[in-house]
Amino acid sequence: MNSFHFIEPLDVLYLRGNKLFGDPGSYGESMIPPWPSVAAGALRSWMLAAEGIDFNAFARGEHPHPALGTPAAPGRFAIIAFHLARECNGRIETMHPPTADLIPQLEDEHVVARALKPVAVTQERAFSSSSPLSSIPVLAEDQRRKPAAGYWLTQPGYARHLRREGIEPTDFVSTRDLWSIDERVGVGLDPELRRAEDGKLFSTQAIALRPGVGFLVGVAGAILPDRGTVRLGGDGRAAVVHSVRFEPPPIDLELIRKMRKCRVVLTTPGIFGAGWRLPGMDLDGRFELHGVRGRVVAAAVSRAEVISGFDLARWRPKPAERVAAAGSVYWMEELDASPGALDNLIQSGLWPADGENAARRAEGLNRFLFAVF
Amino acid sequence: MSNDLTQRVCSAMLAARLHDPVEKALILMRTPEGHEGGTSRELMRELFPDGDGPFREAVKRADQWAAAADRAAFPKHEDDGRHPSWQRVDFHKDPVIIHPLTGAAFEIKPLTDVAPDHAKALAVDHFRKLVHRGDLRQTALAFWRFGPEIDAQEIKSLWGLLPADTRVPDHTIHDHLDFTAALAACFVTDEGGPALLGVSIGPVQEFIAASRSTSDLWAGSHLLSRIAWEAMRVVCEEIGPEAILFPRLRGVPQVDVWLRDRCGVRPELFDSLEWTKRETDANPLFVAALPNRFTALVPAARARDIAESITRRVREWARARSEEAFRVLLEKAKIPDDPELPGYGQIVAQLDDFPEVHWAAVPWSIVGVDAENRVDASDHRLRNAMRPFFSSDPPGFLGTTAWQLLSGGLNLEEGTFWWPNPGALYPAVHELLERLISATKSLRPFAQIRQEGWRCSLTGETEWLTTDRKQLELPPGRRRDTLWTRVADAQPSWARRGEHLGALATLKRLWPTLLVHELQALDLDVQRFVISTHAMAVAGTLQTWLDSKREVSPQLVDAVRPYEQVALPRKLIRDISGRRDAATLRQLPAWLDAQLEADEPQRAKAARLLNESGLNLEAYYGLLLMDGDRMGAWLSGDRELTFPHRDSFHPQIRAGLAKFSGDPKLTQYAQEHRAATPSRHMAISEALNHFALDLAPAVIEKVHAGRILYAGGDDVLAMLPVRELLPAMAGLRAVYSGRSDERFGIRRQENGFVRYGDRLMRVMGEKATISAGAVIAHHQAPFGAVLRALRAAEHRAKTEGGRDAFSLAVIKRSGGALYLTANWGKPIVLLVEVRDFLALPGVSRRAVYNSLDWIKDLPTDEPKLLATMLGYQFERQGGDRLSAFCLAERLAGAAFSAPTPARSTPMEWLRNFLQVAEFLAREVRTGSLTDKTSREELEPA
């Protein structure tokens, strides 16, 4: 049973990613959206605290939780969705950074969006490139312009883009209306004595979300309390969490099956064994995973991001691995799957086999949606 | 490529280089044997005694294509004979060259003194000296490199700019020979004709930005430039340097080293060049001169192989250099080298896909031709290939009026145009290539790599290089005996205490050392000096102090004597050389560094000593980042940055077009703007090379006491004393566009033409603009934070300032920052004038503090009220009435016309402006400067 929850911060947030900071003069940059593991950590701690479980015993694996399992062998709990969201008239609306195949541009002070389309590198066209796939995503425009930064898509705009329908300027929201960045100064601590060290001033970005803006989290495999407070992000800043009703954007899987082609849009970072390639994808782009077959013909994936985090149980950084950013898009042709198989894959996420990398799976990585080609 | 093929390519390129004599413009129509009888015939006979049969056709076709690619066409009247008089330009009598970027016609004084036989003799003599007997490849390389540089005084400055066609003198004979040679190489191999290959190497910003010091910053940028050269070297070795169309490689010091030491071009030819002489890091080899992307002309069938060789080459190079860096560290740490050490495996894993290489290739065979090798307008393959990348059809260049008119052979009412060959479609092939590369970069492939334990101090993403993997589990503070703790003890400049670096960060940190080793192996005894931010701050003090004509007290001489001399800016070294106290002044920064750590009584004593010598210490320094505006538009030939076809023609040809009595099609064609040609691209690269290698160093290091951290293409990053920051910024802005400035020895000849020393140069011209971000920061401010502020300032200049602007941030030691964004010209003049006003002995800087209180409450639509109140305040705090009110009126005007970011007001802009002026007016950073900064320095004519 899946449930959805809205987390609204009561304070600024430190969402620093895995970049080191704390050295004199270092600067901790914040990420928006943060990794879904931020929500996973906050909710798990909340559940343990609510049930009065000793954190240290849990960290040592001495106190398995029915939903969370142990740090080494996670249970059924998993984040299945994680989005920036805003509450408006009692309704939750998710907000989305433009996907990698959508380029916002400013035209007469309005944001217009143009979509990339895959173009086959065929014999007739004669050109060649370093692209490892048979097609390349192309933006058709007469005058090349830089993308406009600082705009997010509303939920209806996002849904329209998934359906390959036109995006209106009103589908975009300026990030200024969602959050602002506060520069904060911190003091480095001596790791052994836990006291402030001389001259160890550092700066860090804090995220101040606008009132009513927070995060929507989807959870599977656990029943969460209806309402409470959690510690969110670096320094464990306070946030309130409450259950909400939420319907993810409807996707016509039957239509996708009939078209025999689709886009795969990552909604959270994708941690894949072969780097940018989806699990089940070979060097020619052939894809087969849990009953869904197809051929990836093009992809829009930005430079690798590195995901890590800090393992509080072991007091050391988690292994750092490369991920394809949330919003990455893969175009798939020759799709061969039933709507049921498509839906199952959405539910399970892009994981090669049950049980693999269970910790990251629980943290909500590799979630995606199918979209119209 | 087989030896036989290499030989054919090389011969064809050399023959192509000789198909037209360089002195053609000087002898045309002045010799009975025609221009073909110039240098070309004589050298062809000597170099190819068996004739040029095997490659004659290839050269002929290459010549035709190159001419079509670069030359604006003009019609032939139906009454015209073979050589109609209106098309016969006597260049020696009426020499005009046209700037390929500005369209300005530069009229040179008549060259009638240079007799044709003399011109020919000079040319033959010049090229004979470049011949390498028995080696056509070396001869071809020497011709390419030194052909445009002649010693003969009577023609020296013009030689490099002689036109290929006196009727359309907007591209040089050297441009034409380069492109012809590159095309000939493709035709002679018979491998599918030519293709344009574009290669882009990354990452750039992230790689450079991961820096802890000025040295890291320089290293990141130089290393990228070096990697770019390793990529280009593949093409140079396979084909020749002519094959790189952008950037232009001629005269780039790193390429010269390759020519001399790898290709065997005679060393004495390089003896007069600066890079063979300078023994400091002012040597041009330390300039990051090459951009991270290039365009090359290669045989189509080999484009993929060449691109894949490039990818392999640069990755192997990066890995090998990293391994070398690791070995240097092991040696310093006294750890025995062993190939089984984990560090080697870490390097292989971490650099597996570094650098990123994106490439694309477009073969020219995509252009359909008829039986006479002319463009077949009914063949739509190119159009079909371009269509998905454009929103209109016909797409891009194919849809321009000029091409629509010319493509099928243009018939006028009383004449005809020639029918274009495929060379004329260079703009279309090039724009398709650009779109293709851009699309290819939508996917940035990467492999998975799992990194365990605590990680690199600089990037936070990779494991730090270790000799024992168990050490990776040690958190900071518990690492007692690692490779890095040992290096930090033995060589603190390679690793600060606590720092542990991954493969890429190690390569960057060690790159200065590796480069010096590399140059020493080439018998170049070059040393590198790092000027610290503290030394730069002190340099400002010393420059001001030198103006005061004071001497250092004997007590101060004694105090600093035990300390090391430190690196100081070149100009300062020059200014103090010969002084009795020169050594003391060079020791001063090290002594001051020591005082920072000293106890209070010692510091008080130091302050007394400084005071006795009149040294009023500056603690701030300036950092400057300049970046050319709209470079993409310049390269793609946007309409507003190009000029009409008509302006390409010699004035005589323009006049001759009157014969066609206003034929509407001709009028339309003549008014249509030119597209991006190969010579345009070469001219942009040449102009940027002049800027980075000659003009920017003249401004920053010769005239001002600054230090260039990198200068490559249109980018300059420099460090300066605060007092020199504004005039240096304004100076760079001026020389970028080619304005005259006597301080730098630059004289404008015409829009885009300047004389620098004895050289006539083509620069970007007056439509080209550049924006600057600048930061003034305390020398102890964390460098990473200063760098971030600098990038943000540059971004503000381009966005809030709307380009052609500067944005200055003052990061105060006491906390907080001031920001000022304004356009060049009047605002910067005003800033200095307000600064100078506030620094006047009778004026109190309270004029600013008091004004800040009420400015914010004023209405935002009352400039007159603002001017009156400011004038009153300035007068009240000691200014004379006339200057106070005059300045106030200009300030109010500037505030209401200044670029203001969203949600900001003129009042906020003015508050920042006044605070910045006040900060700059403090005595320590003005000194006697108020007498010296003239309006002309900031806003040259």
Side-chain angles (χ1 to χ4, degrees):
Chain A
M1 164 95 179
N2 299 341
S3 59
F4 289 91
H5 309 266
F6 185 61
I7 304 179
E8 187 174 11
L10 299 172
D11 195 352
V12 296
L13 298 176
Y14 293 105
L15 306 168
R16 284 180 295 238
N18 60 296
K19 292 281 166 85
L20 300 183
F21 69 98
D23 281 351
S26 66
Y27 186 78
E29 279 182 80
S30 275
M31 311 169 53
I32 280 275
W35 296 325
S37 52
V38 170
L43 296 182
R44 286 187 295 211
S45 300
W46 181 41
M47 290 164 67
L48 292 174
E51 294 175 34
I53 295 171
D54 176 359
F55 281 22
N56 289 328
F58 176 78
R60 290 192 300 270
E62 294 164 4
H63 201 313
H65 184 278
L68 303 178
T70 65
R76 297 186 315 279
F77 169 92
I79 300 292
I80 54 163
F82 183 61
H83 305 286
L84 192 71
R86 63 183 176 188
E87 193 166 22
C88 192
N89 300 326
R91 205 177 62 82
I92 297 296
E93 180 190 15
T94 55
M95 311 301 296
H96 305 262
T99 54
D101 64 340
L102 190 69
I103 312 296
Q105 293 174 329
L106 277 178
E107 231 176 61
D108 300 328
E109 299 188 357
H110 291 295
V111 190
V112 295
R114 293 190 168 84
L116 304 182
K117 289 180 184 159
V119 170
V121 186
T122 59
Q123 197 65 35
E124 189 199 350
R125 290 206 172 92
F127 44 68
S128 51
S129 82
S130 52
S131 172
L133 296 172
S134 59
S135 296
I136 49 174
V138 168
L139 180 65
E141 56 179 351
D142 284 341
Q143 287 292 323
R144 296 170 76 187
R145 285 177 300 168
K146 290 193 172 167
Y151 294 94
W152 280 45
L153 276 171
T154 60
Q155 188 177 322
Y158 185 67
R160 262 197 286 282
H161 179 55
L162 295 181
R163 295 194 300 266
R164 236 335 163 215
E165 294 167 3
I167 307 278
E168 298 297 323
T170 50
D171 290 327
F172 283 100
V173 175
S174 167
T175 53
R176 283 196 303 262
D177 297 325
L178 298 173
W179 75 84
S180 61
I181 290 176
D182 277 1
E183 303 265 336
R184 300 288 173 106
V185 175
V187 184
L189 295 180
D190 181 312
E192 288 175 6
L193 302 175
R194 307 297 294 161
R195 70 169 189 207
E197 283 199 280
D198 285 348
K200 273 209 167 180
L201 284 180
F202 63 89
S203 318
T204 189
Q205 287 181 336
I207 302 290
L209 295 181
R210 302 273 179 233
V213 179
F215 300 99
L216 178 85
V217 193
V219 175
I223 297 170
L224 270 60
D226 191 47
R227 180 172 289 272
T229 53
V230 295
R231 290 162 55 87
L232 192 64
D235 287 2
R237 298 295 168 128
V240 290
V241 56
H242 61 90
S243 312
V244 290
R245 292 174 62 83
F246 178 75
E247 288 296 326
I251 297 157
D252 190 343
L253 295 178
E254 180 55 31
L255 175 70
I256 283 174
R257 186 194 67 80
K258 277 188 193 155
M259 292 175 79
R260 300 203 63 219
K261 55 186 181 179
C262 66
R263 282 175 294 152
V264 170
V265 180
L266 300 191
T267 54
T268 61
I271 190 164
F272 306 139
W276 67 275
R277 289 176 189 277
L278 299 174
M281 177 180 162
D282 67 14
L283 291 177
D284 291 328
R286 293 271 163 210
F287 173 84
E288 181 167 3
L289 190 65
H290 306 317
V292 178
R293 279 177 294 279
R295 190 165 63 87
V296 177
V297 294
V301 182
S302 58
R303 191 167 283 140
E305 293 177 358
V306 174
I307 198 162
S308 173
F310 198 78
D311 187 338
L312 285 167
R314 294 179 191 156
W315 198 253
R316 54 184 280 187
K318 294 178 188 172
E321 292 177 85
R322 292 175 176 173
V323 294
S328 298
V329 176
Y330 299 77
W331 283 264
M332 202 181 284
E333 289 183 349
E334 300 167 29
L335 184 68
D336 177 14
S338 66
L342 294 172
D343 190 48
N344 286 343
L345 194 57
I346 293 175
Q347 297 309 323
S348 63
L350 291 164
W351 294 100
D354 282 350
E356 187 170 313
N357 213 345
R360 292 299 194 189
R361 188 190 296 237
E363 286 173 351
L365 300 184
N366 296 19
R367 311 304 307 189
F368 77 103
L369 290 172
F370 284 114
V372 174
F373 191 91
Chain B
M1 206 174 359
S2 69
N3 281 343
D4 180 47
L5 194 56
T6 307
Q7 197 61 22
R8 269 174 55 207
V9 167
C10 189
S11 301
M13 292 179 84
L14 186 54
R17 198 156 272 294
L18 290 171
H19 85 276
D20 263 347
V22 171
E23 73 278 15
K24 180 177 166 183
L26 299 172
I27 63 172
L28 203 63
M29 292 180 297
R30 297 172 80 192
T31 55
E33 67 272 26
H35 72 268
E36 292 87 353
T39 327
S40 301
R41 187 177 298 167
E42 215 158 324
L43 290 171
M44 279 296 282
R45 259 200 308 262
E46 288 176 25
L47 294 168
F48 298 103
D50 299 331
D52 60 353
F55 32 81
R56 189 180 301 137
E57 262 314 300
V59 172
K60 187 178 167 194
R61 184 141 53 116
D63 179 30
Q64 290 167 345
W65 279 37
D70 265 328
R71 252 160 249 177
F74 51 85
K76 195 166 185 179
H77 197 269
E78 57 197 18
D79 300 337
D80 288 343
R82 186 155 180 255
H83 295 298
S85 60
W86 72 276
Q87 290 187 10
R88 295 173 57 135
V89 173
D90 281 337
F91 187 77
H92 66 289
K93 288 184 191 157
D94 189 8
V96 173
I97 50 177
I98 289 170
H99 197 289
L101 304 178
T102 67
F106 180 28
E107 293 177 25
I108 306 153
K109 66 174 187 184
L111 299 160
T112 40
D113 289 351
V114 185
D117 283 349
H118 183 52
K120 190 175 144 186
L122 287 175
V124 171
D125 188 39
H126 173 57
F127 281 99
R128 276 210 181 112
K129 283 184 198 158
L130 301 177
V131 171
H132 287 56
R133 296 283 160 214
D135 196 318
L136 290 181
R137 177 168 167 74
Q138 287 171 347
T139 301
L141 291 171
F143 277 23
W144 169 77
R145 171 62 184 88
F146 294 106
E149 294 177 10
I150 198 167
D151 270 337
Q153 280 308 319
E154 56 271 55
I155 198 68
K156 186 174 179 172
S157 65
L158 186 61
W159 185 256
L161 297 177
L162 285 172
D165 186 324
T166 54
R167 299 163 301 176
V168 193
D170 68 347
H171 59 290
T172 72
I173 183 75
H174 308 288
D175 296 339
H176 177 65
L177 296 179
D178 287 351
F179 195 47
T180 306
L183 282 166
C186 298
F187 289 137
V188 82
T189 57
D190 201 18
E191 291 179 301
L196 278 187
L197 170 68
V199 179
S200 170
I201 290 167
V204 177
Q205 295 296 349
E206 299 90 324
F207 183 67
I208 295 175
S211 299
R212 279 249 167 94
S213 63
T214 55
S215 179
D216 278 354
L217 198 59
W218 170 83
S221 132
H222 193 271
L223 195 50
L224 268 184
S225 170
R226 180 53 186 279
I227 289 170
W229 162 239
E230 291 302 321
M232 294 179 213
R233 192 151 74 94
V234 173
V235 178
C236 293
E237 287 173 352
E238 287 265 326
I239 303 162
E242 296 95 328
I244 304 284
L245 302 184
F246 185 91
R248 174 163 244 170
L249 297 182
R250 184 181 289 122
V252 172
Q254 187 67 56
V255 183
D256 280 353
V257 171
W258 169 76
L259 287 169
R260 191 189 72 169
D261 297 325
R262 297 288 185 116
C263 305
V265 175
R266 281 201 309 274
E268 66 269 20
L269 293 171
F270 301 87
D271 282 350
S272 64
L273 300 177
E274 210 176 346
W275 64 263
T276 63
K277 295 176 194 164
R278 282 197 177 275
E279 292 173 358
T280 70
D281 55 1
N283 188 309
L285 281 167
F286 282 85
V287 174
L290 293 171
N292 69 314
R293 54 179 301 166
F294 65 91
T295 308
L297 196 66
V298 300
R302 296 186 38 232
R304 179 173 286 276
D305 285 348
I306 290 173
E308 288 174 354
S309 295
I310 287 169
T311 309
R312 278 194 303 276
R313 168 81 71 91
V314 292
R315 289 182 179 169
E316 282 165 13
W317 186 90
R319 198 192 65 225
R321 294 288 81 74
S322 294
E323 288 171 350
E324 190 184 339
F326 184 58
R327 278 193 292 276
V328 170
L329 289 177
L330 291 173
E331 193 180 341
K332 185 59 74 178
K334 296 193 171 31
I335 297 172
D337 190 10
D338 179 347
E340 299 301 314
L341 285 173
Y344 287 111
Q346 289 175 302
I347 288 169
V348 171
Q350 292 178 23
L351 299 189
D352 181 47
D353 42 22
F354 177 85
E356 293 170 7
V357 181
H358 299 278
W359 62 267
V362 180
W364 232 293
S365 57
I366 204 168
V367 176
V369 290
D370 63 13
E372 293 172 65
N373 272 326
R374 303 178 309 183
V375 171
D376 177 359
S378 66
D379 185 322
H380 291 304
R381 279 177 301 154
L382 177 60
R383 182 171 168 175
N384 290 341
M386 291 175 75
R387 200 152 30 200
F389 296 85
F390 293 81
S391 44
S392 52
D393 190 28
F397 176 73
L398 300 183
T400 60
T401 308
W403 182 249
Q404 291 288 309
L405 285 167
L406 280 186
S407 57
L410 174 57
N411 288 318
L412 303 175
E413 288 164 6
E414 296 175 13
T416 52
F417 269 84
W418 57 270
W419 194 300
N421 68 44
L425 279 167
Y426 173 88
V429 176
H430 183 266
E431 63 188 351
L432 175 56
L433 178 79
E434 288 295 304
R435 301 296 176 113
L436 199 52
I437 288 204
S438 176
T440 301
K441 285 159 85 172
S442 302
L443 168 59
R444 315 252 180 173
F446 58 88
Q448 187 53 277
I449 163 178
R450 187 179 166 98
Q451 299 284 280
E452 303 278 359
W454 295 84
R455 295 188 291 277
C456 170
S457 317
L458 203 58
T459 66
E461 295 185 342
T462 58
E463 294 169 358
W464 46 271
L465 299 184
T466 183
T467 52
D468 177 358
R469 286 196 64 86
K470 283 186 188 152
Q471 292 177 341
L472 295 174
E473 293 169 18
L474 297 171
R478 290 202 189 154
R479 302 169 194 160
R480 305 281 179 244
D481 186 26
T482 67
L483 167 68
W484 292 99
T485 56
R486 289 188 184 200
V487 170
D489 289 339
Q491 183 88 28
S493 63
W494 290 351
R496 292 181 188 181
R497 203 154 296 283
E499 243 183 355
H500 285 63
L501 303 179
L504 260 185
T506 300
L507 176 56
K508 264 173 76 171
R509 186 60 60 80
L510 271 288
W511 177 239
T513 306
L514 299 185
L515 179 63
V516 168
H517 288 174
E518 187 180 298
L519 297 179
Q520 284 168 346
L522 299 173
D523 284 338
L524 290 168
D525 191 16
V526 181
Q527 295 302 318
R528 183 163 180 275
F529 303 104
V530 176
I531 299 178
S532 68
T533 52
H534 189 197
M536 186 54 75
V538 174
T541 300
L542 294 180
Q543 283 292 155
T544 308
W545 181 81
L546 287 176
D547 296 342
S548 72
K549 313 278 184 219
R550 294 188 63 159
E551 298 272 323
V552 178
S553 72
Q555 292 82 359
L556 186 58
V557 173
D558 288 343
V560 304
R561 188 167 289 135
Y563 292 85
E564 278 185 2
Q565 294 192 9
V566 303
L568 289 172
R570 246 203 302 171
K571 175 172 185 292
L572 185 57
I573 296 284
R574 212 173 48 236
D575 289 351
I576 63 175
S577 70
R579 285 179 63 108
R580 266 187 321 179
D581 51 10
T584 302
L585 297 175
R586 294 198 62 170
Q587 289 160 324
L588 195 65
W591 176 74
L592 288 168
D593 268 340
Q595 307 315 305
L596 292 174
E597 307 292 324
D599 57 20
E600 194 49 45
Q602 176 63 30
R603 282 156 74 167
K605 186 179 166 197
R608 240 186 353 264
L609 284 175
L610 289 167
N611 212 19
E612 283 162 13
S613 294
L615 281 157
N616 199 356
L617 275 190
E618 168 65 280
Y620 286 76
Y621 69 101
L623 206 55
L624 170 65
L625 176 63
M626 297 193 81
D627 181 48
D629 296 324
R630 308 191 61 204
M631 285 316 298
W634 275 99
L635 286 167
S636 63
D638 269 20
R639 184 181 165 82
E640 60 198 279
L641 300 176
T642 55
F643 52 87
H645 283 88
R646 187 178 186 283
D647 292 356
S648 297
F649 302 136
H650 187 283
Q652 182 183 315
I653 301 293
R654 288 181 214 173
L657 293 177
K659 267 172 83 90
F660 296 87
S661 356
D663 183 299
K665 284 184 185 164
L666 177 60
T667 306
Q668 204 179 359
Y669 169 78
Q671 287 172 350
E672 185 71 6
H673 279 225
R674 296 212 61 188
T677 59
S679 62
R680 177 184 175 84
H681 290 150
M682 290 179 197
I684 291 173
S685 178
E686 181 185 299
L688 297 180
N689 280 353
H690 287 321
F691 180 65
L693 291 166
D694 300 303
L695 305 182
V699 174
I700 300 291
E701 298 192 352
K702 283 189 186 163
V703 175
H704 295 289
R707 180 80 164 93
I708 289 184
L709 298 178
Y710 72 73
D714 59 318
D715 285 345
V716 177
L717 178 64
M719 185 163 61
L720 288 134
V722 173
R723 62 173 239 155
E724 317 230 357
L725 184 63
L726 296 180
M729 277 161 64
L732 280 182
R733 168 67 187 88
V735 302
Y736 183 72
S737 304
R739 293 183 191 154
S740 284
D741 199 318
E742 286 303 324
R743 289 173 307 151
F744 312 131
I746 293 162
R747 276 172 293 143
R748 179 190 186 274
Q749 305 291 296
E750 186 40 86
N751 184 0
F753 291 102
V754 298
R755 241 174 232 291
Y756 178 62
D758 61 357
R759 295 157 70 190
L760 180 61
M761 290 178 173
R762 291 186 306 192
V763 294
M764 289 295 290
E766 286 155 19
K767 272 192 186 169
T769 62
I770 192 163
S771 298
V775 171
I776 294 173
H778 191 276
H779 70 85
Q780 284 181 305
F783 191 68
V786 176
L787 208 54
R788 254 191 318 279
L790 184 68
R791 296 212 177 278
E794 188 231 5
H795 182 69
R796 280 196 304 276
K798 301 244 182 202
T799 50
E800 289 174 22
R803 300 197 188 101
D804 198 18
F806 68 93
S807 184
L808 176 64
V810 178
I811 303 173
K812 293 182 177 177
R813 179 73 169 155
S814 55
L818 305 171
Y819 302 98
L820 174 65
T821 302
N823 292 107
W824 298 109
K826 288 189 172 56
I828 199 167
V829 175
L830 187 58
L831 181 61
V832 171
E833 288 181 6
V834 176
R835 179 198 72 176
D836 292 353
F837 171 80
L838 294 170
L840 288 173
V843 175
S844 166
R845 298 200 310 272
R846 208 175 299 148
V848 169
Y849 307 139
N850 291 349
S851 303
L852 295 178
D853 280 342
W854 50 259
I855 282 179
K856 60 179 186 300
D857 300 324
L858 282 190
T860 55
D861 55 354
E862 290 278 5
K864 279 192 179 164
L865 176 65
L866 173 66
T868 308
M869 290 185 66
L870 264 184
Y872 166 77
Q873 194 61 246
F874 284 0
E875 186 187 12
R876 189 155 178 248
Q877 297 302 329
D880 78 80
R881 184 174 175 78
L882 185 62
S883 2
F885 277 88
C886 197
L887 211 49
E889 194 164 322
R890 287 168 58 207
L891 271 169
F896 278 87
S897 59
T900 48
R903 305 182 184 191
S904 177
T905 67
M907 301 308 168
E908 285 168 43
W909 186 88
L910 184 61
R911 282 169 59 84
N912 277 321
F913 189 97
L914 289 173
Q915 288 179 90
V916 169
E918 186 277 329
F919 180 88
L920 295 174
R922 294 177 195 178
E923 189 185 350
V924 70
R925 54 192 65 107
T926 50
S928 60
L929 182 69
T930 45
D931 304 327
K932 296 177 79 182
T933 307
S934 67
R935 190 186 179 99
E936 287 68 34
E937 285 179 54
L938 300 160
E939 195 186 19

